[in-house]
């Protein structure tokens, strides 16, 4: 078994972060590709009734709802570092460990 050291911990954190970012980018790529396909299909195969508007909000419900989900995914990946900073998690862990150490007298 490999000894736990600071380099291993930093590597695992970086690896986890990379997976989160990669997951978001894959999600965004599928969002773009699938929605381009949906728009093309609606233009080609959509029913066009004379006298009705060509574009309806209901036609874009999938894009809107999925866009909200993509936005939430992006915020969960990128916002914590923006709000809490890079070292917030490590500082909080140390603080909690110190508090627990003081309680176990």
């Amino acid at each position: 078994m490999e000894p736990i050291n600071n380099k291993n911990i930093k590597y695992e954190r970086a690896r986890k972060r990379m997976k989160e970012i990669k997951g978001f980018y894959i999600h965004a790529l599928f969002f773009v590709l699938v929605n381009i396909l949906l728009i093309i299909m609606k233009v080609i195969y959509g029913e066009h009734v004379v006298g009705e508007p060509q574009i309806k909000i209901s036609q874009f419900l999938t894009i809107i709802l999925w866009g909200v989900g993509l936005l939430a995914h992006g915020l969960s990946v990128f916002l914590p570092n923006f709000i809490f900073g890079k070292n917030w998690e490590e500082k909080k862990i140390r603080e909690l460990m110190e508090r627990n150490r003081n309680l176990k007298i």
Side-chain angles (χ1 to χ4, degrees), residues 24-53:
F24 173 74
Y25 288 149
I26 290 170
H27 187 177
L29 176 68
F30 275 99
F31 173 80
V32 170
L33 294 176
V34 169
N35 285 305
I36 286 173
L37 181 65
L38 287 174
I39 290 170
I40 290 170
M41 287 175 57
K42 287 189 188 295
V43 168
I44 293 172
Y45 300 111
E47 294 179 17
H48 302 289
V49 178
V50 177
E52 287 191 23

Side-chain angles (χ1 to χ4, degrees), residues 3-103:
I4 297 176
N5 61 37
N6 202 22
K7 273 188 175 180
N8 290 346
I9 292 170
K10 286 182 180 180
Y11 175 79
E12 285 303 317
R13 280 189 190 155
R15 190 169 182 265
K16 180 183 176 204
R17 179 83 178 128
M18 180 273 310
K19 279 186 156 187
E20 290 172 350
I21 294 170
K22 182 180 175 184
F24 173 74
Y25 288 149
I26 290 170
H27 187 177
L29 176 68
F30 275 99
F31 173 80
V32 170
L33 294 176
V34 169
N35 285 305
I36 286 173
L37 181 65
L38 287 174
I39 290 170
I40 290 170
M41 287 175 57
K42 287 189 188 295
V43 168
I44 293 172
Y45 300 111
E47 294 179 17
H48 302 289
V49 178
V50 177
E52 287 191 23
Q54 296 290 2
I55 298 173
K56 299 177 188 173
I57 194 73
S58 63
Q59 293 174 321
F60 297 97
L61 198 56
T62 302
I63 296 171
I64 293 167
L65 293 176
W66 194 355
V68 170
L70 181 63
L71 177 66
H73 188 176
L75 291 175
S76 73
V77 170
F78 295 109
L79 198 58
N81 285 342
F82 181 74
I83 290 177
F84 297 116
K86 290 181 180 179
N87 298 323
W88 177 85
E89 188 175 311
E90 203 165 306
K91 288 177 188 175
K92 197 65 177 174
I93 289 170
R94 279 192 231 128
E95 177 188 319
L96 292 170
M97 287 174 65
E98 187 65 33
R99 192 179 303 161
N100 285 338
R101 190 177 320 160
N102 291 337
L103 290 175

